[in-house]
């Protein structure tokens, strides 16, 4: 079976204040309200519109289960809906440092997502037909992802 190839799509930086709701019957619940951000890559670039959201649950096994929905606006004023599901986990001391907002090497923990796209823009219609993966990082309230198309 051949290996899976990828191609870099863009890097995205998100401003994400997070509300911690506390321990619910399902685990530690967090809700994020995206206040903006930007993205840039070889085929598209632009801003992240305010108003997106993220829903997270810190599972009992230490895995942060994440679901996000945002709207991208390209530099040529086209809208792209982007959503993903992902996981973040790692050694306890690394995750504690992340949660304090410390700078942590992204290679020291696992942060992966599976973004999908939806758009009516003809010039970006190819996004409607691809699968993608992303690697994430966090510094304070800012999250960053490198997004890759799965070829």
């Amino acid at each position: 079976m051949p290996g899976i190839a990828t191609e870099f799509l863009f890097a995205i930086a998100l401003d994400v204040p997070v509300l911690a709701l506390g321990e619910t019957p399902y685990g530690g619940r967090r809700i994020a309200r995206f206040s903006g951000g930007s993205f840039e890559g070889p085929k598209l670039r632009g801003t992240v519109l305010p108003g997106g959201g993220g829903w997270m649950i810190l599972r009992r096994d230490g895995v942060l289960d994440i679901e996000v929905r945002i709207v991208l606006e390209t530099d040529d004023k086209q809208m792209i809906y982007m959503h993903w599901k992902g996981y973040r986990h790692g050694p306890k001391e690394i995750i504690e440092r992340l949660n304090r907002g410390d700078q942590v090497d992204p290679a020291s923990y696992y942060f992966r997502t599976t973004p999908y796209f939806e758009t009516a823009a003809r010039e970006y219609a190819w996004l409607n037909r691809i699968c993608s993966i992303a690697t994430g990082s966090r510094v304070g309230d800012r999250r960053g992802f490198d997004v890759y198309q799965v070829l």
Side-chain angles (χ1 to χ4, degrees):
M1 177 172 221
I4 295 175
T6 61
E7 178 182 319
F8 177 72
L9 281 179
F10 58 84
I12 186 169
L14 300 164
D15 298 319
V16 189
V18 175
L19 304 170
L21 275 66
E23 284 298 316
T24 73
Y26 301 102
R29 175 64 69 185
R30 301 174 191 171
I31 308 290
R33 296 176 301 163
F34 292 87
S35 56
S38 61
F39 63 98
E40 185 167 348
K43 296 180 182 177
L44 66 165
R45 67 188 47 80
T47 59
V48 178
L49 297 179
W55 296 264
M56 296 155 276
I57 191 84
L58 182 57
R59 300 183 337 199
R60 305 249 187 270
D61 63 357
V63 173
L64 186 64
D65 187 323
I66 306 162
E67 185 175 338
V68 169
R69 298 172 187 274
I70 59 175
V71 176
L72 310 177
E73 183 178 56
T74 63
D75 58 355
D76 57 350
K77 302 299 180 200
Q78 301 300 310
M79 305 264 213
I80 301 167
Y81 169 60
M82 179 179 180
H83 64 99
W84 68 80
K85 184 135 171 68
Y87 296 125
R88 189 194 78 191
H89 57 83
K92 184 179 181 198
E93 61 278 359
I94 297 293
I95 299 302
E96 286 173 353
R97 289 181 54 212
L98 277 175
N99 290 337
R100 285 194 307 267
D102 295 350
Q103 180 109 15
V104 176
D105 179 2
S108 65
Y109 59 98
Y110 185 91
F111 195 175
R112 305 290 185 272
T113 69
T114 54
Y116 288 89
F117 306 95
E118 183 179 334
T119 185
R122 291 173 69 150
E123 54 272 32
Y124 301 107
W126 56 273
L127 287 167
N128 294 324
R129 300 182 299 271
I130 68 166
C131 293
S132 64
I133 56 173
T135 60
S137 61
R138 174 182 170 184
V139 178
D141 279 346
R142 194 148 182 90
R143 271 60 164 187
F145 296 89
D146 290 330
V147 182
Y148 299 84
Q149 176 180 352
V150 177
L151 300 175

